[in-house]
mmCIF file with all atom_site columns, all heavy atoms in Angstrom:
data_model
loop_
_atom_site.group_PDB
_atom_site.id
_atom_site.type_symbol
_atom_site.label_atom_id
_atom_site.label_alt_id
_atom_site.label_comp_id
_atom_site.label_asym_id
_atom_site.label_entity_id
_atom_site.label_seq_id
_atom_site.pdbx_PDB_ins_code
_atom_site.Cartn_x
_atom_site.Cartn_y
_atom_site.Cartn_z
_atom_site.occupancy
_atom_site.B_iso_or_equiv
_atom_site.pdbx_formal_charge
_atom_site.auth_seq_id
_atom_site.auth_comp_id
_atom_site.auth_asym_id
_atom_site.auth_atom_id
_atom_site.pdbx_PDB_model_num
ATOM 1   N N   . PHE S 1 39  ? -18.884 7.097   2.729  1.00 93.00 ? 72  PHE S N   1
ATOM 2   C CA  . PHE S 1 39  ? -18.185 5.839   2.505  1.00 93.00 ? 72  PHE S CA  1
ATOM 3   C C   . PHE S 1 39  ? -18.779 4.729   3.364  1.00 93.00 ? 72  PHE S C   1
ATOM 4   O O   . PHE S 1 39  ? -19.138 4.943   4.514  1.00 93.00 ? 72  PHE S O   1
ATOM 5   C CB  . PHE S 1 39  ? -16.693 5.990   2.790  1.00 93.00 ? 72  PHE S CB  1
ATOM 6   C CG  . PHE S 1 39  ? -16.014 6.830   1.757  1.00 93.00 ? 72  PHE S CG  1
ATOM 7   C CD1 . PHE S 1 39  ? -15.786 8.177   1.990  1.00 93.00 ? 72  PHE S CD1 1
ATOM 8   C CD2 . PHE S 1 39  ? -15.636 6.289   0.551  1.00 93.00 ? 72  PHE S CD2 1
ATOM 9   C CE1 . PHE S 1 39  ? -15.196 8.961   1.023  1.00 93.00 ? 72  PHE S CE1 1
ATOM 10  C CE2 . PHE S 1 39  ? -15.047 7.067   -0.425 1.00 93.00 ? 72  PHE S CE2 1
ATOM 11  C CZ  . PHE S 1 39  ? -14.822 8.406   -0.190 1.00 93.00 ? 72  PHE S CZ  1
ATOM 12  N N   . VAL S 1 43  ? -14.480 -3.921  6.881  1.00 96.00 ? 76  VAL S N   1
ATOM 13  C CA  . VAL S 1 43  ? -13.120 -4.292  7.295  1.00 96.00 ? 76  VAL S CA  1
ATOM 14  C C   . VAL S 1 43  ? -13.099 -5.765  7.657  1.00 96.00 ? 76  VAL S C   1
ATOM 15  O O   . VAL S 1 43  ? -13.871 -6.217  8.496  1.00 96.00 ? 76  VAL S O   1
ATOM 16  C CB  . VAL S 1 43  ? -12.685 -3.475  8.531  1.00 96.00 ? 76  VAL S CB  1
ATOM 17  C CG1 . VAL S 1 43  ? -11.245 -3.794  8.900  1.00 96.00 ? 76  VAL S CG1 1
ATOM 18  C CG2 . VAL S 1 43  ? -12.860 -1.988  8.285  1.00 96.00 ? 76  VAL S CG2 1
ATOM 19  N N   . ASP S 1 45  ? -10.708 -8.204  9.339  1.00 95.00 ? 78  ASP S N   1
ATOM 20  C CA  . ASP S 1 45  ? -9.460  -8.302  10.088 1.00 95.00 ? 78  ASP S CA  1
ATOM 21  C C   . ASP S 1 45  ? -9.027  -9.767  10.112 1.00 95.00 ? 78  ASP S C   1
ATOM 22  O O   . ASP S 1 45  ? -9.860  -10.666 10.128 1.00 95.00 ? 78  ASP S O   1
ATOM 23  C CB  . ASP S 1 45  ? -9.691  -7.790  11.517 1.00 95.00 ? 78  ASP S CB  1
ATOM 24  C CG  . ASP S 1 45  ? -8.382  -7.602  12.258 1.00 95.00 ? 78  ASP S CG  1
ATOM 25  O OD1 . ASP S 1 45  ? -7.558  -6.809  11.792 1.00 95.00 ? 78  ASP S OD1 1
ATOM 26  O OD2 . ASP S 1 45  ? -8.192  -8.260  13.296 1.00 95.00 ? 78  ASP S OD2 1
ATOM 27  N N   . ARG S 1 74  ? -15.992 -0.076  -6.021 1.00 84.00 ? 107 ARG S N   1
ATOM 28  C CA  . ARG S 1 74  ? -15.117 1.066   -6.251 1.00 84.00 ? 107 ARG S CA  1
ATOM 29  C C   . ARG S 1 74  ? -15.821 2.270   -6.855 1.00 84.00 ? 107 ARG S C   1
ATOM 30  O O   . ARG S 1 74  ? -15.397 3.399   -6.641 1.00 84.00 ? 107 ARG S O   1
ATOM 31  C CB  . ARG S 1 74  ? -13.886 0.719   -7.078 1.00 84.00 ? 107 ARG S CB  1
ATOM 32  C CG  . ARG S 1 74  ? -14.019 -0.373  -8.074 1.00 84.00 ? 107 ARG S CG  1
ATOM 33  C CD  . ARG S 1 74  ? -12.676 -0.798  -8.642 1.00 84.00 ? 107 ARG S CD  1
ATOM 34  N NE  . ARG S 1 74  ? -11.777 0.304   -8.939 1.00 84.00 ? 107 ARG S NE  1
ATOM 35  C CZ  . ARG S 1 74  ? -10.482 0.261   -8.729 1.00 84.00 ? 107 ARG S CZ  1
ATOM 36  N NH1 . ARG S 1 74  ? -9.946  -0.792  -8.203 1.00 84.00 ? 107 ARG S NH1 1
ATOM 37  N NH2 . ARG S 1 74  ? -9.712  1.278   -9.045 1.00 84.00 ? 107 ARG S NH2 1
ATOM 38  N N   . ASP S 1 130 ? 13.319  -6.305  -7.259 1.00 81.00 ? 163 ASP S N   1
ATOM 39  C CA  . ASP S 1 130 ? 14.425  -6.510  -6.330 1.00 81.00 ? 163 ASP S CA  1
ATOM 40  C C   . ASP S 1 130 ? 14.137  -5.862  -4.971 1.00 81.00 ? 163 ASP S C   1
ATOM 41  O O   . ASP S 1 130 ? 14.575  -4.755  -4.713 1.00 81.00 ? 163 ASP S O   1
ATOM 42  C CB  . ASP S 1 130 ? 15.692  -5.915  -6.952 1.00 81.00 ? 163 ASP S CB  1
ATOM 43  C CG  . ASP S 1 130 ? 16.897  -6.212  -6.099 1.00 81.00 ? 163 ASP S CG  1
ATOM 44  O OD1 . ASP S 1 130 ? 16.817  -7.096  -5.226 1.00 81.00 ? 163 ASP S OD1 1
ATOM 45  O OD2 . ASP S 1 130 ? 17.930  -5.551  -6.314 1.00 81.00 ? 163 ASP S OD2 1
ATOM 46  N N   . ALA S 1 161 ? 4.648   3.954   9.189  1.00 93.00 ? 194 ALA S N   1
ATOM 47  C CA  . ALA S 1 161 ? 3.253   4.156   9.572  1.00 93.00 ? 194 ALA S CA  1
ATOM 48  C C   . ALA S 1 161 ? 3.158   5.153   10.728 1.00 93.00 ? 194 ALA S C   1
ATOM 49  O O   . ALA S 1 161 ? 4.099   5.277   11.502 1.00 93.00 ? 194 ALA S O   1
ATOM 50  C CB  . ALA S 1 161 ? 2.639   2.821   9.973  1.00 93.00 ? 194 ALA S CB  1
ATOM 51  N N   . GLU S 1 165 ? 0.130   7.802   20.156 1.00 92.00 ? 198 GLU S N   1
ATOM 52  C CA  . GLU S 1 165 ? 0.451   7.649   21.568 1.00 92.00 ? 198 GLU S CA  1
ATOM 53  C C   . GLU S 1 165 ? -0.667  6.946   22.331 1.00 92.00 ? 198 GLU S C   1
ATOM 54  O O   . GLU S 1 165 ? -0.440  6.019   23.078 1.00 92.00 ? 198 GLU S O   1
ATOM 55  C CB  . GLU S 1 165 ? 0.686   9.035   22.174 1.00 92.00 ? 198 GLU S CB  1
ATOM 56  C CG  . GLU S 1 165 ? 1.948   9.126   22.967 1.00 92.00 ? 198 GLU S CG  1
ATOM 57  C CD  . GLU S 1 165 ? 2.239   10.558  23.359 1.00 92.00 ? 198 GLU S CD  1
ATOM 58  O OE1 . GLU S 1 165 ? 1.437   11.460  23.090 1.00 92.00 ? 198 GLU S OE1 1
ATOM 59  O OE2 . GLU S 1 165 ? 3.309   10.768  23.963 1.00 92.00 ? 198 GLU S OE2 1
ATOM 60  N N   . GLN W 2 73  ? 20.366  -1.027  -7.346 1.00 90.00 ? 83  GLN W N   1
ATOM 61  C CA  . GLN W 2 73  ? 20.972  -1.471  -6.082 1.00 90.00 ? 83  GLN W CA  1
ATOM 62  C C   . GLN W 2 73  ? 22.029  -0.500  -5.594 1.00 90.00 ? 83  GLN W C   1
ATOM 63  O O   . GLN W 2 73  ? 22.099  -0.177  -4.416 1.00 90.00 ? 83  GLN W O   1
ATOM 64  C CB  . GLN W 2 73  ? 21.609  -2.857  -6.253 1.00 90.00 ? 83  GLN W CB  1
ATOM 65  C CG  . GLN W 2 73  ? 20.589  -3.975  -6.241 1.00 90.00 ? 83  GLN W CG  1
ATOM 66  C CD  . GLN W 2 73  ? 21.164  -5.300  -6.691 1.00 90.00 ? 83  GLN W CD  1
ATOM 67  O OE1 . GLN W 2 73  ? 22.294  -5.358  -7.202 1.00 90.00 ? 83  GLN W OE1 1
ATOM 68  N NE2 . GLN W 2 73  ? 20.400  -6.360  -6.516 1.00 90.00 ? 83  GLN W NE2 1
ATOM 69  N N   . ARG W 2 118 ? 7.779   9.821   9.593  1.00 92.00 ? 128 ARG W N   1
ATOM 70  C CA  . ARG W 2 118 ? 6.640   9.305   10.324 1.00 92.00 ? 128 ARG W CA  1
ATOM 71  C C   . ARG W 2 118 ? 5.793   10.441  10.886 1.00 92.00 ? 128 ARG W C   1
ATOM 72  O O   . ARG W 2 118 ? 6.308   11.475  11.291 1.00 92.00 ? 128 ARG W O   1
ATOM 73  C CB  . ARG W 2 118 ? 7.148   8.434   11.477 1.00 92.00 ? 128 ARG W CB  1
ATOM 74  C CG  . ARG W 2 118 ? 6.133   7.470   12.012 1.00 92.00 ? 128 ARG W CG  1
ATOM 75  C CD  . ARG W 2 118 ? 6.618   6.854   13.290 1.00 92.00 ? 128 ARG W CD  1
ATOM 76  N NE  . ARG W 2 118 ? 7.687   5.871   13.154 1.00 92.00 ? 128 ARG W NE  1
ATOM 77  C CZ  . ARG W 2 118 ? 7.496   4.597   12.850 1.00 92.00 ? 128 ARG W CZ  1
ATOM 78  N NH1 . ARG W 2 118 ? 6.297   4.150   12.612 1.00 92.00 ? 128 ARG W NH1 1
ATOM 79  N NH2 . ARG W 2 118 ? 8.512   3.765   12.787 1.00 92.00 ? 128 ARG W NH2 1
ATOM 80  N N   . HIS W 2 122 ? -1.089  12.329  19.151 1.00 95.00 ? 132 HIS W N   1
ATOM 81  C CA  . HIS W 2 122 ? -1.300  12.071  20.573 1.00 95.00 ? 132 HIS W CA  1
ATOM 82  C C   . HIS W 2 122 ? -2.439  11.097  20.781 1.00 95.00 ? 132 HIS W C   1
ATOM 83  O O   . HIS W 2 122 ? -2.354  10.183  21.572 1.00 95.00 ? 132 HIS W O   1
ATOM 84  C CB  . HIS W 2 122 ? -1.576  13.379  21.319 1.00 95.00 ? 132 HIS W CB  1
ATOM 85  C CG  . HIS W 2 122 ? -0.341  14.204  21.478 1.00 95.00 ? 132 HIS W CG  1
ATOM 86  N ND1 . HIS W 2 122 ? 0.737   13.758  22.208 1.00 95.00 ? 132 HIS W ND1 1
ATOM 87  C CD2 . HIS W 2 122 ? 0.019   15.403  20.985 1.00 95.00 ? 132 HIS W CD2 1
ATOM 88  C CE1 . HIS W 2 122 ? 1.699   14.659  22.156 1.00 95.00 ? 132 HIS W CE1 1
ATOM 89  N NE2 . HIS W 2 122 ? 1.287   15.663  21.413 1.00 95.00 ? 132 HIS W NE2 1
ATOM 90  N N   . ALA W 2 153 ? -13.414 4.348   -5.075 1.00 67.00 ? 163 ALA W N   1
ATOM 91  C CA  . ALA W 2 153 ? -12.994 4.130   -3.699 1.00 67.00 ? 163 ALA W CA  1
ATOM 92  C C   . ALA W 2 153 ? -11.968 3.013   -3.667 1.00 67.00 ? 163 ALA W C   1
ATOM 93  O O   . ALA W 2 153 ? -12.320 1.875   -3.862 1.00 67.00 ? 163 ALA W O   1
ATOM 94  C CB  . ALA W 2 153 ? -14.202 3.752   -2.856 1.00 67.00 ? 163 ALA W CB  1
ATOM 95  N N   . GLU W 2 170 ? -4.052  -0.151  10.844 1.00 95.00 ? 180 GLU W N   1
ATOM 96  C CA  . GLU W 2 170 ? -5.434  -0.415  10.464 1.00 95.00 ? 180 GLU W CA  1
ATOM 97  C C   . GLU W 2 170 ? -6.370  0.574   11.168 1.00 95.00 ? 180 GLU W C   1
ATOM 98  O O   . GLU W 2 170 ? -7.242  1.174   10.547 1.00 95.00 ? 180 GLU W O   1
ATOM 99  C CB  . GLU W 2 170 ? -5.787  -1.853  10.853 1.00 95.00 ? 180 GLU W CB  1
ATOM 100 C CG  . GLU W 2 170 ? -7.176  -2.299  10.447 1.00 95.00 ? 180 GLU W CG  1
ATOM 101 C CD  . GLU W 2 170 ? -7.477  -3.708  10.938 1.00 95.00 ? 180 GLU W CD  1
ATOM 102 O OE1 . GLU W 2 170 ? -6.543  -4.389  11.429 1.00 95.00 ? 180 GLU W OE1 1
ATOM 103 O OE2 . GLU W 2 170 ? -8.640  -4.124  10.851 1.00 95.00 ? 180 GLU W OE2 1
ATOM 104 N N   . HIS W 2 184 ? -19.858 4.820   7.117  1.00 95.00 ? 194 HIS W N   1
ATOM 105 C CA  . HIS W 2 184 ? -20.354 3.726   7.939  1.00 95.00 ? 194 HIS W CA  1
ATOM 106 C C   . HIS W 2 184 ? -19.321 2.603   7.899  1.00 95.00 ? 194 HIS W C   1
ATOM 107 O O   . HIS W 2 184 ? -18.761 2.317   6.852  1.00 95.00 ? 194 HIS W O   1
ATOM 108 C CB  . HIS W 2 184 ? -21.688 3.240   7.372  1.00 95.00 ? 194 HIS W CB  1
ATOM 109 C CG  . HIS W 2 184 ? -22.308 2.175   8.200  1.00 95.00 ? 194 HIS W CG  1
ATOM 110 N ND1 . HIS W 2 184 ? -23.105 2.446   9.285  1.00 95.00 ? 194 HIS W ND1 1
ATOM 111 C CD2 . HIS W 2 184 ? -22.219 0.819   8.124  1.00 95.00 ? 194 HIS W CD2 1
ATOM 112 C CE1 . HIS W 2 184 ? -23.494 1.302   9.835  1.00 95.00 ? 194 HIS W CE1 1
ATOM 113 N NE2 . HIS W 2 184 ? -22.959 0.310   9.147  1.00 95.00 ? 194 HIS W NE2 1
ATOM 114 N N   . VAL W 2 186 ? -18.132 -1.455  8.951  1.00 96.00 ? 196 VAL W N   1
ATOM 115 C CA  . VAL W 2 186 ? -18.450 -2.797  9.429  1.00 96.00 ? 196 VAL W CA  1
ATOM 116 C C   . VAL W 2 186 ? -17.116 -3.479  9.694  1.00 96.00 ? 196 VAL W C   1
ATOM 117 O O   . VAL W 2 186 ? -16.276 -3.560  8.803  1.00 96.00 ? 196 VAL W O   1
ATOM 118 C CB  . VAL W 2 186 ? -19.225 -3.607  8.359  1.00 96.00 ? 196 VAL W CB  1
ATOM 119 C CG1 . VAL W 2 186 ? -19.512 -4.993  8.873  1.00 96.00 ? 196 VAL W CG1 1
ATOM 120 C CG2 . VAL W 2 186 ? -20.490 -2.893  7.967  1.00 96.00 ? 196 VAL W CG2 1
#
Side-chain angles (χ1 to χ4, degrees):
Chain S
F72 290 97
V76 184
D78 192 60
R107 30 191 318 141
D163 186 16
E198 229 171 4
Chain W
Q83 282 168 350
R128 200 191 287 277
H132 286 297
E180 183 183 350
H194 183 86
V196 179

